[in-house]
């Protein structure tokens, strides 16, 4: 073990610090940057080009034409609309359910470990397996329709009706990601000191008031982080619509990632796909900035 | 601690050298084949035979690729010149998108005359298959590998039931009969009546029952099945008069001068076909959900009296475990639609000689018969289709040759994927109620015109 | 506590159980389908539970060519390619990418903490990498590795996955490293330990359980990834489990749902086996250090 060398003169010391800095900080950062440089360059190059794989082998510069075409592309707006609907509903439902669950389970200590372990399975399951799974479940002759029969409801055409197809994607997403929100909120809940609750109860607060004035304000930081991360991830959704409905029926579940994938690989119009992807990136960044602003706003409004 | 770190690092680097994929230590011919319909099985079998013969010089390796991912993989491979695979199975309608990247087989043959099999017998392929699968813009770019035509499957126990026959005759005034070898195909009216009869006319099932399982899912199923209905008008004498002849590179959906033929502004045949399709779909479990696989499910579990699907599904539908095992036969729909695959050589390949030899073996006369027998690989050769022995053993074989006599085809255009996509998005709204049939059809036609124009056709 | 059992408590319990049912049912269904006979899968009425389980669906995935489902005859040969190479690839790629990411992430987290480097700018940059949709990197990465002749090579995936794993590992570890009291590392450097020594002999042992968790979570992220794996690979020499599923989940020969479900179960094994261990670190893991 070489840790006991004692040859640190002043010069040696700063030299050693620099070596250490380079290794510890430099190598990882460099590796990430290296991985990003070429993709960034390539991406910018082809989003300003026409690169139609069926017709040409090299990209041809066309400036902003791709972006102009995007605005009149009905499938693009269709996918934006679909993504918006799915994200908004899915994330809202996930948040509501996650909150319920966290409040319910917040005080259950025995079996808590087991329940938490079980609940993380949906999130970490390969999304493609989840898609496959729900394809089985939402089958017209599958378990959900059988279950609904008990209540006298006619079988729903989950994968063939546009409305229900979107619903099934939302349900699949809710199933997968509610645990995410649940676990974060649970951690946030458990970090609220018990004394605060006790003190409030002594003062006569209970039930809903307790929640509104004590629990919720202290939960806001966790809640915003959970929402932010979830919203941004949700916009990128791909695997589930891909396997569950392949973007159908009639494009009702063709989300942005899926349409970009198709434009890039299926139609072969790579430049156009890259242009759309850049718009998606801009959208995501705006979303992130928006959420950060909301966090700051809520902080400033004294929700602490 | 530091030493341990270095040991681990060196282990990592060594294993890096050891296990990274080895490129062409021994010459390998990479073949990428669609993973279904017994196609990759057949390719694998032939690869083994090939390797037995030539294994000392080259090894053929077959990789199955799923349908959804195959075209994407091909495009990336071809356009980046990567030569991931030397040989691909190419769906014929994709030929428009990848045609420029496929090797000219005439050139290969003239460069290596010694490999050309004198007994190959090109005439053994039905002309339509040769024209559709093997040629593009005047070049020979592939060899016909797997045939596929949309066929009608039906329940023999229902259609040959004397009680039902009597009831049908009473209600509709003609015999309940399915065309067999030598008969004319069904007419659309017959198809409609049969479907209606077995949905509402007679109770033959304890649970739900449908006359027909009709695919209409967005994408390939919609494009192909609608072509059955439209193609019927397109290739009728009136259709030919109205639209001109069918250009093999453009298929039934386009007129001779390359306009969208089902456009309501040009003619009302398109709308008629769509209405036929929608009417028939009333007797089917929601057609807009049925793609190729999910069409065979209701039929195999006994819920539908008929179904329209690829002939290649015969083995799975009639498998021993299926509920309709032994109760199925095939027949001719009014206008079948042609699917199918060829095998083609990647123009970037440096092993075109071996590739051609492999493909030749794969599609040779004897191999066609063998592959059909072993893997129920739908044959592309007349000799196989008309083989009396095989026809006796395989009740689904007889319909293949007659189906090719009058068949509709898809566009072999570079924008085919976009056309398919837009039809899937717009036209399927006619089923889901989002648009009226007229509107859906008009908008689809307009979209198609726009896409075609933008591509510079 | 027993005094608290009343109507509300029981209601809470019932709602809890309903939730558990909701989340666990699909898993149950997947496992059940993978063990069903094909006639049970597509039959009606629906089979909710069966004693006739078969392992043939799993056997098929591993290349079994004998009798199936007790029937003499079966159509065609094994139409599913053997899943083993795909699993091997997934394991190989997951292990190596996670290990390397752990090392690099550990280095960076330590460096940031030790030398007070970066601050919130670096933090935000690492977080923003999370926003990248995979499709943006898929094609350029394909071109890069093609020019290096590394397409269909496991190492190309290992390297690309670093882009996801290193920021993740870094952010997570920073949070935990910050908690290690400065006195410990100060004492060590007084003893003559240089920075490498501090890292390997002090920090690493202290962070062991967290590093294991980071490793597992990174492994699972590599295991689940589909898009880039599909683009950068062409055959079973390097293709991973999700690509296998995407390719063959729609096996056309007779809707092999049983085998597809079996494949799904196998693919879920990493998380099923490790869920109890990682749930402890999950909050930090999921938020990658934004909360602890």
């Amino acid at each position: 073990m070489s840790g006991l060398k004692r040859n640190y003169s002043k010069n040696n010391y700063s030299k050693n610090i620099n070596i250490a800095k380079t290794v510890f900080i430099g190598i990882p950062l460099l590796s990430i940057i290296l991985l990003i440089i070429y993709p960034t360059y390539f991406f910018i190059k082809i989003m300003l080009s026409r690169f139609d794989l069926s017709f040409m082998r090299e990209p041809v510069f066309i400036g902003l034409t791709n972006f102009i075409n995007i605005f009149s592309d009905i499938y693009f707006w269709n996918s934006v609309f679909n993504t918006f609907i799915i994200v908004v509903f899915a994330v809202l439902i996930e948040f509501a359910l996650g909150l319920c669950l966290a409040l319910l389970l917040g005080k259950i200590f025995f079996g808590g470990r087991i329940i938490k372990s079980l609940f993380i399975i949906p999130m970490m399951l390969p999304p493609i397996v989840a898609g496959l799974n729900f394809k089985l479940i939402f089958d017209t002759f599958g378990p959900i329709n059988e279950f609904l029969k008990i209540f006298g409801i006619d079988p729903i055409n989950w994968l063939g009706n546009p409305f229900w197809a979107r619903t099934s994607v939302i349900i699949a997403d809710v199933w997968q990601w509610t645990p995410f929100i649940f676990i974060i909120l649970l951690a946030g809940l458990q970090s609220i000191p018990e004394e605060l609750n006790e003190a409030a109860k002594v003062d006569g607060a209970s039930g809903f008031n307790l929640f509104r004035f004590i629990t919720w304000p202290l939960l806001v930081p966790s809640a915003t982080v959970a929402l932010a991360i979830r919203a941004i991830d949700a916009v990128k959704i791909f695997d589930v619509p891909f396997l569950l409905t392949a973007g159908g029926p009639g494009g009702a579940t063709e989300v942005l990632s899926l349409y970009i994938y198709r434009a890039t690989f299926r139609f072969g119009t790579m430049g156009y796909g890259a242009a759309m992807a850049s718009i998606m990136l801009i959208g995501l960044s705006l979303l992130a900035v928006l959420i950060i602003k909301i966090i700051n706003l809520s902080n400033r409004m004294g929700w602490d | 601690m530091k030493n341990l770190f270095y040991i681990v690092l060196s282990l990592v680097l060594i294993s890096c050298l050891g296990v990274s994929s080895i490129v062409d230590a021994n010459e390998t011919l990479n073949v990428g084949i669609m993973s279904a319909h017994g196609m990759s099985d057949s390719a694998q079998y032939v690869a083994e035979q090939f390797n037995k013969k030539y294994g000392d010089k080259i090894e053929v390796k077959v990789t199955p690729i799923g349908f959804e991912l195959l075209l994407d993989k091909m495009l990336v491979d071809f356009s980046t010149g990567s030569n991931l695979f030397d040989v691909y199975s190419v769906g014929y309608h994709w030929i428009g998108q990848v045609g420029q990247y496929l090797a000219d087989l005439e050139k290969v043959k003239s460069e290596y005359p010694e490999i050309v099999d004198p007994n190959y017998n090109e005439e053994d392929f039905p002309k339509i298959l040769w024209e559709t699968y093997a040629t593009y813009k005047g070049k020979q770019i592939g060899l016909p590998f797997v045939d596929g035509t949309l066929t009608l499957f039906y329940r023999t126990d229902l259609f040959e039931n004397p009680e039902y026959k009597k009831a049908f005759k009473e209600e509709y005034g003609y015999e309940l009969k399915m065309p067999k070898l030598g008969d004319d195909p069904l007419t659309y009216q017959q198809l409609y009546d049969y479907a209606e009869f077995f949905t509402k006319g007679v109770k033959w099932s304890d649970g739900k029952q449908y006359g027909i399982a009709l695919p209409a899912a967005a994408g390939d199923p919609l494009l192909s099945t609608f072509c059955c209905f439209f193609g019927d008008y397109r290739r009728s004498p009136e259709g030919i008069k109205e639209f001109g002849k069918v250009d093999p590179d453009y298929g039934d959906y386009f007129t001779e001068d390359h306009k969208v033929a089902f456009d309501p502004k040009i003619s009302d045949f398109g709308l008629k076909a769509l209405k036929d399709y929608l009417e028939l779909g009333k007797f089917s479990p929601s057609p807009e959900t049925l793609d190729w696989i999910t069409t065979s499910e209701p039929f195999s579990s006994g819920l539908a009296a008929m179904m329209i699907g690829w002939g290649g599904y015969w083995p799975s539908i009639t498998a021993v475990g299926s509920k309709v095992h032994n109760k199925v036969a095939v027949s001719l729909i009014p206008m079948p639609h042609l699917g199918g695959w060829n095998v083609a050589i990647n123009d970037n390949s440096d092993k075109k000689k071996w590739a051609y030899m492999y493909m030749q073996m794969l599609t040779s006369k004897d191999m066609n018969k063998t592959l059909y027998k072993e893997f129920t690989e739908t044959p592309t050769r007349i000799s196989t289709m008309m083989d009396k022995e095989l026809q006796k053993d395989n009740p689904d074989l007889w319909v293949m040759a007659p189906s090719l006599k009058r068949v509709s085809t898809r566009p072999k255009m570079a924008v085919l994927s976009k056309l398919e996509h837009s039809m899937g998005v717009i036209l399927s709204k006619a089923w889901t109620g989002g648009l009226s049939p007229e509107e859906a059809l008009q908008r689809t036609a307009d979209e198609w015109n726009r896409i075609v124009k933008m591509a510079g056709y | 506590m027993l005094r608290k059992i009343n109507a509300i408590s029981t209601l809470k319990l019932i709602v809890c159980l309903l939730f558990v049912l909701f989340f666990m049912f699909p898993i149950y269904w997947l496992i059940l389908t993978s063990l069903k006979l094909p006639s049970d899968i597509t039959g009606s009425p629906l089979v909710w539970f069966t004693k006739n389980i078969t392992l043939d669906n799993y056997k098929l995935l591993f290349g079994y060519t004998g009798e199936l489902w007790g029937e003499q005859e079966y159509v065609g040969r094994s139409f599913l390619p053997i899943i083993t190479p795909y699993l091997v690839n997934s394991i190989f790629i997951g292990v190596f990418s996670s290990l390397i990411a752990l090392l690099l992430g550990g280095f960076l987290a330590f460096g940031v903490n030790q030398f007070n480097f970066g601050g919130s700018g670096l933090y935000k940059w690492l977080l923003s990498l999370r926003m990248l949709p995979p499709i943006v990197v898929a094609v350029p990465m394909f071109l890069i590795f093609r020019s290096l002749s590394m397409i269909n090579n496991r190492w190309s995936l290992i390297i690309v996955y670093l882009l996801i794993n290193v920021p993740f590992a870094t952010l997570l570890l920073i949070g935990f490293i910050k908690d290690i009291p400065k006195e410990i590392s100060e004492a060590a450097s007084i003893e003559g330990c240089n920075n490498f020594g501090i890292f390997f002999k002090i920090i690493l042992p202290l962070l062991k359980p967290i590093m294991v968790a980071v490793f597992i979570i990174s492994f699972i992220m590599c295991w689940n990834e589909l898009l880039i794996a599909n683009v950068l690979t062409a055959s079973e020499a390097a293709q991973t489990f999700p690509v296998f599923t995407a390719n063959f989940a729609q096996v056309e020969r007779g809707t092999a749902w049983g085998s597809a479900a079996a494949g799904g179960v196998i693919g879920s094994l990493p998380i099923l086996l490790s869920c109890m261990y990682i749930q402890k670190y999950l909050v930090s893991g999921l938020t990658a250090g934004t909360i602890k």
Side-chain angles (χ1 to χ4, degrees):
Chain A
M1 292 289 193
S2 56
L4 289 174
K5 289 212 191 103
R6 291 174 181 273
N7 54 351
Y8 284 125
S9 68
K10 264 217 171 130
N11 284 338
N12 260 344
Y13 186 67
S14 41
K15 194 166 65 153
N16 282 322
I17 289 262
N18 284 331
I19 295 179
K21 266 196 185 175
T22 325
V23 170
F24 281 109
I25 297 183
I27 295 184
L29 277 187
L30 194 67
S31 47
I32 299 181
I33 292 178
L34 275 179
L35 283 174
I36 296 191
I37 286 190
Y38 181 72
T40 312
Y41 158 74
F42 180 81
F43 184 69
I44 297 184
K45 186 170 102 158
I46 67 165
M47 80 179 179
L48 299 171
S49 317
R50 178 171 182 219
F51 191 21
D52 209 334
L53 295 183
S54 306
F55 293 106
M56 54 222 298
R57 300 195 191 213
E58 288 294 323
V60 169
F61 183 78
I62 52 169
L64 295 175
T65 316
N66 280 330
F67 292 93
I68 298 177
N69 288 335
I70 290 177
F71 280 104
S72 52
D73 183 353
I74 56 175
Y75 311 108
F76 175 74
W77 292 112
N78 177 52
S79 66
V80 168
F81 172 72
N82 291 332
T83 312
F84 181 75
I85 298 248
I86 290 176
V87 166
V88 165
F89 281 97
V91 173
L92 282 179
I93 298 177
E94 282 156 21
F95 187 77
L97 284 184
L99 188 60
C100 271
L101 264 178
L103 292 173
L104 272 178
L105 291 181
K107 295 294 154 43
I108 295 183
F109 291 104
F110 62 92
R113 250 190 87 194
I114 299 191
I115 295 207
K116 277 214 283 186
S117 313
L118 284 182
F119 276 12
I120 67 174
I121 294 177
M123 313 189 280
M124 307 286 268
L125 212 61
I128 196 115
V129 172
L132 173 69
N133 203 7
F134 278 99
K135 204 168 165 123
L136 285 172
I137 292 180
F138 282 122
D139 192 61
T140 323
F141 305 105
I144 293 205
N145 280 339
E146 287 291 311
F147 181 68
L148 291 176
K149 256 202 228 173
I150 302 179
F151 299 100
I153 305 180
D154 277 331
I156 295 181
N157 190 1
W158 292 101
L159 301 180
N161 174 303
F163 172 76
W164 290 111
R166 283 200 205 106
T167 311
S168 57
V169 172
I170 291 177
I171 294 180
D173 198 70
V174 164
W175 180 81
Q176 260 204 302
W177 294 104
T178 305
F180 176 81
I181 305 228
F182 159 65
I183 289 189
I184 296 183
L185 289 181
L186 188 66
L189 259 185
Q190 286 175 339
S191 66
I192 297 179
E194 190 59 28
E195 302 85 55
L196 268 148
N197 282 326
E198 304 282 323
K201 280 193 198 143
V202 165
D203 280 348
S206 67
F208 186 66
N209 280 334
L210 184 68
F211 175 75
R212 189 163 158 232
F213 292 111
I214 306 286
T215 320
W216 174 248
L218 289 173
L219 211 47
V220 163
S222 322
T224 37
V225 168
L227 262 183
I229 298 184
R230 187 59 215 124
I232 292 183
D233 278 349
V235 174
K236 297 189 288 175
I237 189 175
F238 178 81
D239 301 49
V240 168
F242 179 71
L243 198 60
L244 191 61
T245 54
T253 56
E254 189 168 75
V255 291
L256 195 53
S257 292
L258 189 56
Y259 182 54
I260 295 178
Y261 174 84
R262 287 210 168 129
T264 309
F265 291 102
R266 183 66 56 90
F267 308 160
T269 51
M270 273 196 186
Y272 191 63
M276 288 195 286
S278 70
I279 294 196
M280 184 183 192
L281 263 178
I282 295 177
L284 280 174
S285 319
L286 286 177
L287 185 63
V289 167
L290 184 71
I291 293 181
I292 293 178
K293 282 243 155 59
I294 294 183
I295 298 178
N296 288 339
L297 199 65
S298 64
N299 278 342
R300 270 195 285 126
M301 279 177 74
W303 282 22
D304 53 326
Chain B
M1 213 35 185
K2 223 178 180 178
N3 296 330
L4 185 60
F5 169 62
Y6 286 135
I7 293 175
V8 170
L9 191 62
S10 7
L11 278 177
V12 166
L13 288 172
I14 292 174
S15 51
C16 166
L17 294 172
V19 301
S20 54
S21 79
I22 302 164
V23 183
D24 290 356
N26 176 21
E27 289 268 357
T28 316
L29 187 76
N30 287 308
V31 176
I33 303 286
M34 223 270 283
S35 65
H37 279 304
M39 280 166 65
S40 42
D41 287 348
S42 313
Q44 182 64 40
Y45 172 78
V46 174
E48 283 163 19
Q49 308 289 319
F50 193 86
N51 289 333
K52 273 196 212 131
K53 252 179 123 177
Y54 304 104
D56 51 335
K57 299 204 202 78
I58 187 155
E59 188 198 340
V60 175
K61 191 162 161 305
V62 174
T63 304
I65 307 177
F67 177 76
E68 282 295 319
L69 305 167
L70 180 54
L71 177 61
D72 312 341
K73 197 133 228 86
M74 257 194 268
L75 267 177
V76 174
D77 184 0
F78 290 153
S79 60
T80 56
S82 310
N83 197 18
L84 289 176
F85 290 99
D86 300 284
V87 174
Y88 273 105
S89 64
V90 184
Y92 82 85
H93 55 303
W94 296 338
I95 292 180
Q97 273 186 268
V98 300
Q100 56 162 331
Y101 300 109
L102 301 177
D104 185 336
L105 294 185
E106 291 292 341
K107 264 215 230 128
V108 177
K109 283 193 285 190
S110 59
E111 239 183 291
Y112 305 100
E114 70 278 9
I115 66 174
V116 180
D117 178 5
N119 295 322
Y120 186 71
N121 201 345
E122 272 176 27
E123 294 75 39
D124 193 25
F125 294 106
K127 195 158 149 297
I128 178 90
L129 289 192
W130 188 261
E131 195 179 68
T132 319
Y133 297 172
T135 61
Y136 178 62
K137 291 211 164 113
K139 285 198 306 184
Q140 191 203 342
I141 40 83
L143 295 177
F145 177 31
V146 173
D147 173 35
T149 39
L150 282 182
T151 310
L152 186 74
F153 293 79
Y154 67 94
R155 294 275 297 273
T156 48
D157 57 331
L158 299 178
F159 278 82
E160 283 161 19
N161 183 318
E163 262 188 56
Y164 299 154
K165 285 175 109 141
K166 211 166 70 130
F168 185 83
K169 183 105 191 264
E170 277 172 19
E171 203 170 321
Y172 292 91
Y174 63 92
E175 292 288 332
L176 181 72
K177 203 167 81 93
M178 278 292 186
K180 300 244 178 20
L181 182 59
D183 296 336
D184 282 331
L186 285 178
T187 64
Y188 177 75
Q189 187 60 48
Q190 280 176 301
L191 195 60
Y192 182 87
D193 292 340
Y194 294 173
E196 187 181 54
F197 179 65
F198 281 107
T199 309
K200 304 196 278 211
V202 61
K203 188 144 180 58
W204 51 270
S205 154
D206 293 328
K208 271 199 175 236
Q209 60 179 40
Y210 294 95
I212 187 169
L214 188 67
D220 191 53
L222 183 58
L223 187 76
S224 311
T225 315
F226 182 49
C227 209
C228 294
F229 293 89
F230 183 68
D232 201 12
Y233 289 103
R234 177 74 178 79
R235 297 197 185 226
S236 65
E238 298 82 20
I240 303 277
K241 226 179 1 158
E242 179 115 11
F243 304 118
K245 289 217 294 265
V246 177
D247 184 335
D249 281 347
Y250 283 79
D252 285 60
Y253 281 128
F254 287 88
T255 64
E256 191 167 13
D257 50 342
H258 307 157
K259 299 230 177 17
V260 177
F262 55 80
D263 192 336
K265 293 205 277 272
I266 293 186
S267 132
D268 54 349
F269 280 143
L271 196 56
K272 276 204 200 143
L274 184 59
K275 292 223 166 105
D276 289 347
Y277 195 2
L278 289 168
E279 294 282 313
L280 192 60
K282 289 210 290 255
F283 306 121
S284 163
S286 30
E288 68 274 11
T289 47
L290 300 186
D291 61 23
W292 304 125
I293 301 174
T294 49
T295 309
S296 57
E297 272 170 18
F299 185 74
S300 305
S301 40
L303 281 156
M306 302 185 282
M307 112 175 200
I308 290 187
W310 298 110
Y313 280 90
W314 172 264
S316 58
I317 293 176
T318 55
V320 173
S322 148
K323 288 214 169 78
V324 299
H325 174 63
N326 277 339
K327 299 192 214 155
V328 182
V330 292
S331 190
L332 275 176
I333 48 177
M335 169 58 84
H337 179 74
L338 190 65
W341 301 76
N342 69 13
V343 272
I345 305 182
N346 187 339
D347 208 18
N348 290 310
S349 167
D350 51 351
K351 309 188 189 68
K352 295 203 179 75
K353 174 172 146 220
W354 295 111
Y356 187 79
M357 288 171 70
Y358 174 75
M359 284 173 22
Q360 198 173 227
M361 186 188 256
L362 184 67
T363 56
S364 70
K365 228 174 167 163
D366 295 326
M367 197 55 81
N368 212 244
K369 280 214 182 77
T370 315
L371 294 180
Y372 178 60
K373 273 211 292 248
E374 297 288 322
F375 307 104
T376 53
E377 194 46 85
T378 34
T380 42
R381 284 178 171 272
I382 301 179
S383 52
T384 316
M385 292 186 211
M386 306 297 270
D387 184 307
K388 289 283 186 281
E389 282 280 322
L390 286 177
Q391 280 194 4
K392 243 201 331 206
D393 296 331
N394 298 284
D396 62 318
L397 183 57
W398 71 266
V399 75
M400 293 189 200
S403 296
L404 293 175
K405 288 218 178 66
R406 185 174 178 256
V407 70
S408 53
T409 59
R410 287 174 229 171
K412 264 157 65 167
M413 300 163 70
V415 291
L416 184 275
S417 289
K418 278 201 191 165
L419 295 176
E420 183 183 287
H421 178 251
S422 71
M423 183 179 259
V425 172
I426 305 179
L427 195 61
S428 53
K429 291 203 174 27
W431 272 264
T432 59
L435 291 170
S436 74
E438 294 83 6
E439 265 205 75
L441 197 62
Q442 183 62 64
R443 286 212 206 166
T444 311
D446 292 339
E447 258 303 288
W448 277 40
N449 277 320
R450 187 188 68 90
I451 293 174
V452 167
K453 209 170 78 163
M454 252 182 63
Y457 270 84
Chain C
M1 268 323 196
L2 282 172
R3 285 171 284 144
K4 299 259 168 122
I5 296 180
N6 55 19
I8 297 192
S9 269
T10 32
L11 191 66
K12 273 192 183 182
L13 196 64
I14 293 177
V15 176
C16 261
L17 285 176
L18 281 179
F19 271 118
V20 173
L21 196 70
F22 173 67
F23 284 109
M24 289 299 108
F25 175 73
I27 309 276
Y28 165 73
W29 193 252
L30 188 70
I31 301 181
L32 181 70
T33 310
S34 70
L35 296 171
K36 273 185 185 170
L37 297 165
S39 44
D40 283 340
I41 297 178
T42 53
S44 51
L46 198 64
V47 177
W48 291 92
F49 177 79
T50 173
K51 290 231 173 66
N52 295 336
I53 63 169
T54 170
L55 287 178
D56 285 340
N57 290 320
Y58 289 92
K59 285 198 212 158
L60 264 183
L61 287 176
F62 289 98
Y64 177 68
T65 50
E67 273 182 37
L68 283 169
W69 302 305
E71 304 281 356
Q72 289 291 87
E73 175 200 325
Y74 191 67
V75 174
R77 282 209 313 216
S78 55
F79 45 79
L80 283 173
I82 301 174
I83 199 176
T84 326
Y86 299 87
L87 293 177
V88 167
N89 289 334
S90 277
I91 295 176
F92 186 91
I93 291 172
V95 165
F96 278 102
S97 197
S98 305
L99 274 180
I100 300 177
L102 203 54
L103 192 68
L104 290 179
F107 273 18
L108 193 56
F110 175 73
V112 165
N113 187 48
Q114 188 80 339
F115 306 113
N116 287 319
F117 178 87
S120 76
L122 178 68
Y123 208 68
K124 285 197 190 135
W125 181 65
L126 287 177
L127 267 182
S128 69
L129 286 177
R130 197 203 175 109
M131 280 198 313
L132 268 180
I135 195 153
V136 170
V137 290
V139 178
M141 287 300 179
F142 180 83
L143 292 173
I144 295 178
F145 287 107
R146 190 195 115 230
S147 58
L148 296 171
S149 296
M150 276 176 73
I151 293 293
N152 214 31
N153 182 329
R154 293 184 266 208
W155 285 94
S156 56
L157 282 178
I158 292 178
I159 295 173
V160 175
Y161 286 157
L162 288 180
L163 199 55
I164 311 171
N165 289 334
V166 171
F168 169 75
T170 310
L171 288 172
L172 190 53
L173 290 173
I174 285 184
F176 285 96
I177 282 188
K178 277 214 176 85
D179 277 354
I180 296 178
K182 267 267 185 224
E183 297 80 49
I184 298 185
S185 37
E186 275 170 17
S189 57
I190 292 178
E191 292 274 328
C193 228
N194 63 10
N195 282 304
F196 286 94
I198 299 179
F199 181 72
F200 285 105
K201 294 209 302 243
I202 313 283
I203 308 286
L204 269 194
L206 281 176
L207 286 180
K208 244 203 287 230
I210 295 144
M211 297 203 115
V212 174
V214 171
F215 174 82
I216 294 180
I217 298 180
S218 300
F219 179 87
I220 291 180
M221 293 202 298
C222 295
W223 181 275
N224 290 352
E225 206 280 328
L226 172 64
L227 193 71
I228 297 179
N230 181 45
V231 170
L232 291 182
T233 61
S235 75
E236 78 275 2
Q239 277 176 336
T240 56
F241 166 78
V243 182
F244 173 85
T245 310
N247 259 322
F248 306 108
Q250 307 237 338
V251 179
E252 298 194 32
R253 272 284 151 104
T255 49
W257 287 125
S259 289
V265 171
I266 295 179
S268 316
L269 283 178
I271 178 62
L272 289 175
L273 294 175
S274 59
C275 57
M276 291 223 65
Y277 182 85
I278 60 176
Q279 58 87 19
K280 243 195 302 178
Y281 306 98
L282 213 51
V283 174
S284 308
L286 296 176
T287 57
T290 46
I291 304 182
K292 218 174 35 88

